[in-house]
Amino acid sequence: MPTIVVDVMPKAELLDPQGKAVTGAFARLGVSDFSAVRIGKRFELTVDGEVTDGVLAEARRIADEILSNSVIEDVVGIEVVE
Amino acid sequence: MPTIVVDVMPKAELLDPQGKAVTGAFARLGVSDFSAVRIGKRFELTVDGEVTDGVLAEARRIADEILSNSVIEDVVGIEVVE
């Protein structure tokens, strides 16, 4: 069955304390290749049947209105898998 | 600066209550195109300098050992962006 993947990340201007905590853990654990970590969400929506333009439009709408909070988050990607 | 994106999802055999809650909300809101929702995490690791094979290997290691819990989660993707 086709899946639509929606990626949501905290806005760049926000602090993202979860990501900061992981960045701090990297320093303590001796991992030095990465200077910053940001943590967002990945939604996998299972589509019943075919991915039509209407289904994609609906996915875009719910990504903006239900799956993300536009005050603090950006929808950074919507793609069809399989 | 290049970014390595690591995607982590709950294992298929686990319930994923967050995803179930969103699926239930879809039904109440009249969204009928999607039969299931699963919610995972998306990590964006900022790389200082170039993405060498060593940096990618390190990203794979921390994806398995630090960013995901292999008892309940799978690393479903590691890709370089930009």
Side-chain angles (χ1 to χ4, degrees):
Chain A
M1 254 185 311
T3 300
I4 296 178
V5 174
V6 176
D7 290 315
V8 173
M9 294 299 294
K11 279 184 189 290
E13 57 271 29
L14 294 186
L15 188 61
D16 184 21
Q18 260 196 103
K20 282 269 179 291
V22 173
T23 310
F26 282 179
R28 286 194 302 281
L29 294 167
V31 176
S32 59
D33 290 327
F34 312 107
S35 58
V37 182
R38 295 186 75 78
I39 305 180
K41 279 176 257 180
R42 174 187 163 97
F43 298 85
E44 290 186 355
L45 312 176
T46 304
V47 179
D48 267 341
E50 251 183 293
V51 180
T52 60
D53 286 351
V55 171
L56 257 183
E58 179 80 334
R60 275 196 207 99
R61 190 182 68 80
I62 62 163
D64 288 334
E65 293 179 11
I66 303 178
L67 302 180
S68 69
N69 175 353
S70 63
V71 177
I72 58 170
E73 293 169 325
D74 288 321
V75 177
V76 297
I78 297 184
E79 59 168 341
V80 181
V81 178
E82 277 150 63
Chain B
M1 254 185 311
T3 299
I4 296 178
V5 174
V6 176
D7 290 315
V8 174
M9 294 299 293
K11 279 183 190 291
E13 57 271 29
L14 294 185
L15 188 59
D16 183 21
Q18 262 197 101
K20 281 268 179 294
V22 173
T23 310
F26 281 180
R28 285 194 303 280
L29 295 167
V31 176
S32 58
D33 291 326
F34 312 107
S35 58
V37 182
R38 295 186 75 77
I39 305 180
K41 279 176 257 180
R42 174 189 163 97
F43 298 86
E44 290 186 356
L45 312 176
T46 304
V47 179
D48 267 340
E50 251 182 294
V51 179
T52 60
D53 286 352
V55 171
L56 257 183
E58 179 80 333
R60 275 196 205 98
R61 190 182 68 79
I62 62 163
D64 288 334
E65 294 180 10
I66 303 177
L67 303 180
S68 68
N69 176 351
S70 62
V71 177
I72 58 170
E73 294 169 326
D74 287 322
V75 177
V76 297
I78 297 184
E79 60 169 339
V80 182
V81 178
E82 278 151 61

